[in-house]
Amino acid sequence: MASSVSDSELNTLTVLRQVQATLQTIQQDYKALSAVVETINGRVNILSGIKEIQAAPVQKKDFDQLPATALPLAQASSKEIGTTLENTSSPNILGSPKETSITNAVPRSHHTSRIILTTYPGQSGIDPLKMRWGHADPMQRGPVVVSRNHSTIRRRNAKTYQPCKAIGAHGGSYSIYHALAVASKDLDVDHKPDFTNTEPAVNIGPFPQWADAHKIVSMDPLGHLAPWLFRDMIADENLDIRPTIAITKAHMKLPELQHSVQAGRLVPDGKICLNETGELAVTKFAVEPVWYLPGVAERFGIDEGALRRSLFENTGGSFPELITRGDIKLFLPPIGGLTVYCFGDPAKMSDANVRLALRVHDECNGSDVFGSDICTCRPYLIYGVEEAVKEAQNGGSGVVIYFRKEGRALGEVTKYLVYNARE
């Protein structure tokens, strides 16, 4: 019996060693493939750069600055360059020249024409910042780094004990307008914002939920502090680290609120409801979405892989790293964010000992802004504001959360089509 058990253990050990050897071979092959992709990408970018040179007026001094190995290609015609792409002996991983339109690309406005389409695990030159989503210590957790700025793109956060990486873009849907500004040369591609004197108007947190990766999954709880928490990284490593939350104070004036005062529903107190016109003091929080993909998948009760694939396919393949990078856990989606309107002391929002009046409201441009009679969203919004103010005046907390997702994320086109179908 002892001999039989020993033989069984020996067979198991042999199988495990074979599996380990196979995995090591796969890993080596993958690294080799990554190197080939990198080589091909480099070649394409060189040719694209030459096309950029051809598109500009060429002077002798321009050729004097080129390396000797680039001169023959730089002097070639665009037809010859296209032929070089078509006849290359390397695998055409990026697709055919007609599909990628490399030789007909519009010259880029910044200092290099290299385009990084995607990245892969273990790729050479990648030196990611550490990120542990949900860690209690901000320095151990790390900043959300998503910029494709040349000084930052290879430092975007990735795996440690809990793998995490960020892709997408700051500004949500407004990132497209940022791209237009760069393309039209109205904004320098290397522009970095100056955060001097932009600190949050009030202090928020920290709270225990910030240290639980399963509690907060659609925003960065440190988003309002990022430029100041990680100022040394920004200064020492020239990184582009930006806030995803901004906090300010303001006054709110809505015509209906004056009627609320006149009708006695609101009472001016000089602190929250400031005067007889119904002018309100408010603290505002602008929040850009930062999705922790495992947490989002868990909330919807779906597989994370299914979520990644759906995000990739239903954004026209705009974010290939959702597929190519298994360690990507953070995603800044190109969607609208939200605004929190807090009446009274913001610290009371998290106080379990006081009452909270809360209105969660989806954007309705037609009714909220223009008073369209086809929808009744604005009266509900005004009612929510009134109740929030009254609760704050009673010693509790009043909050209105305004989501930038028109018609519960249907969009105005679909919304208007529905209106037509109802008639």
Side-chain angles (χ1 to χ4, degrees):
M1 180 63 68
S3 176
S4 176
V5 173
S6 178
D7 290 343
S8 175
E9 291 177 347
L10 182 61
N11 290 336
T12 301
L13 183 60
T14 301
V15 171
L16 290 175
R17 286 176 176 173
Q18 291 175 347
V19 171
Q20 183 182 23
T22 302
L23 290 175
Q24 289 175 342
T25 301
I26 292 174
Q27 186 179 28
Q28 292 174 355
D29 291 344
Y30 191 85
K31 288 182 178 180
L33 176 62
S34 296
V36 171
V37 171
E38 198 61 4
T39 300
I40 295 171
N41 195 27
R43 181 180 301 178
V44 169
N45 284 316
I46 290 174
L47 296 175
S48 180
I50 293 165
K51 179 64 178 177
E52 180 177 341
I53 293 172
Q54 288 187 326
V58 179
Q59 300 179 9
K60 184 179 183 300
K61 65 178 182 179
D62 296 323
F63 286 96
D64 293 339
Q65 296 174 355
L66 291 173
T69 54
L71 286 174
L73 282 174
Q75 295 167 345
S77 67
S78 59
K79 180 177 180 180
E80 290 171 337
I81 293 174
T83 304
T84 302
L85 276 175
E86 293 173 352
N87 296 334
T88 179
S89 59
S90 301
N92 194 0
I93 296 175
L94 300 179
S96 68
K98 291 183 179 179
E99 293 173 335
T100 56
S101 301
I102 295 295
T103 59
N104 295 321
V106 177
R108 300 187 66 189
S109 61
H110 59 277
H111 62 280
T112 177
S113 61
R114 182 171 188 180
I115 302 173
I116 300 176
L117 299 179
T118 190
T119 58
Y120 302 87
Q123 185 176 354
S124 62
I126 300 297
D127 182 23
L129 290 168
K130 295 180 179 180
M131 160 61 78
R132 295 176 65 182
W133 186 258
H135 198 287
D137 183 349
M139 295 299 106
Q140 291 294 320
R141 200 213 73 159
V144 173
V145 178
V146 69
S147 172
R148 294 180 69 87
N149 181 285
H150 78 278
S151 66
T152 305
I153 186 169
R154 294 186 180 274
R155 302 302 313 281
R156 293 180 298 166
N157 345 75
K159 53 190 177 182
T160 60
Y161 172 74
Q162 182 180 358
C164 206
K165 178 179 171 56
I167 64 168
H170 285 290
S173 57
Y174 296 103
S175 61
I176 304 301
Y177 298 103
H178 177 93
L180 288 174
V182 171
S184 61
K185 299 183 180 180
D186 288 327
L187 184 67
D188 188 83
V189 68
D190 293 326
H191 169 78
K192 292 182 181 179
D194 181 358
F195 298 113
T196 303
N197 297 327
T198 64
E199 291 86 350
V202 297
N203 295 322
I204 298 295
F207 301 109
Q209 295 88 340
W210 294 11
D212 188 335
H214 301 281
K215 291 288 187 180
I216 300 178
V217 301
S218 60
M219 66 180 70
D220 178 12
L222 301 179
H224 60 304
L225 302 173
W228 302 279
L229 283 175
F230 308 106
R231 59 165 61 90
D232 291 342
M233 289 185 182
I234 296 174
D236 298 342
E237 303 184 50
N238 193 29
L239 297 179
D240 189 358
I241 299 174
R242 304 189 184 191
T244 55
I245 298 175
I247 306 173
T248 191
K249 290 187 175 183
H251 288 177
M252 176 186 291
K253 294 182 179 181
L254 296 171
E256 292 91 337
L257 297 182
Q258 184 171 2
H259 298 164
S260 299
V261 172
Q262 294 171 351
R265 294 192 302 272
L266 288 183
V267 178
D269 61 357
K271 296 180 179 180
I272 300 174
C273 185
L274 302 177
N275 49 47
E276 298 293 331
T277 66
E279 183 177 357
L280 304 178
V282 62
T283 304
K284 301 169 62 176
F285 303 71
V287 182
E288 292 180 1
V290 178
W291 288 7
Y292 178 58
L293 292 175
V296 172
E298 183 180 32
R299 293 285 178 90
F300 282 89
I302 59 178
D303 179 72
E304 184 185 339
L307 173 62
R308 291 169 178 269
R309 177 169 181 172
S310 184
L311 288 171
F312 172 72
E313 292 181 342
N314 289 283
T315 56
S318 299
F319 304 97
E321 286 176 315
L322 287 168
I323 304 301
T324 64
R325 293 297 299 270
D327 61 342
I328 294 176
K329 300 298 180 183
L330 291 184
F331 178 45
L332 276 64
I335 61 175
L338 62 89
T339 306
V340 177
Y341 295 86
C342 176
F343 303 96
D345 184 0
K348 291 186 177 181
M349 288 191 296
S350 58
D351 188 346
N353 297 317
V354 302
R355 289 173 56 88
L356 169 66
L358 172 65
R359 168 70 182 177
V360 178
H361 190 94
D362 282 351
E363 179 181 34
C364 180
N365 186 59
S367 180
D368 293 345
V369 178
F370 293 100
S372 171
D373 63 354
I374 202 170
C375 185
T376 57
C377 289
R378 183 178 173 97
Y380 288 103
L381 177 60
I382 298 301
Y383 177 78
V385 171
E386 284 186 6
E387 291 301 308
V389 170
K390 287 190 287 187
E391 192 59 63
Q393 288 179 324
N394 289 333
S397 178
V399 176
V400 174
I401 301 178
Y402 196 88
F403 278 91
R404 295 296 194 281
K405 49 187 183 75
E406 178 77 35
R408 299 191 178 182
L410 290 175
E412 280 196 302
V413 171
T414 300
K415 195 174 182 180
Y416 289 4
L417 292 174
V418 172
Y419 289 157
N420 292 342
R422 287 177 178 175
E423 295 179 354

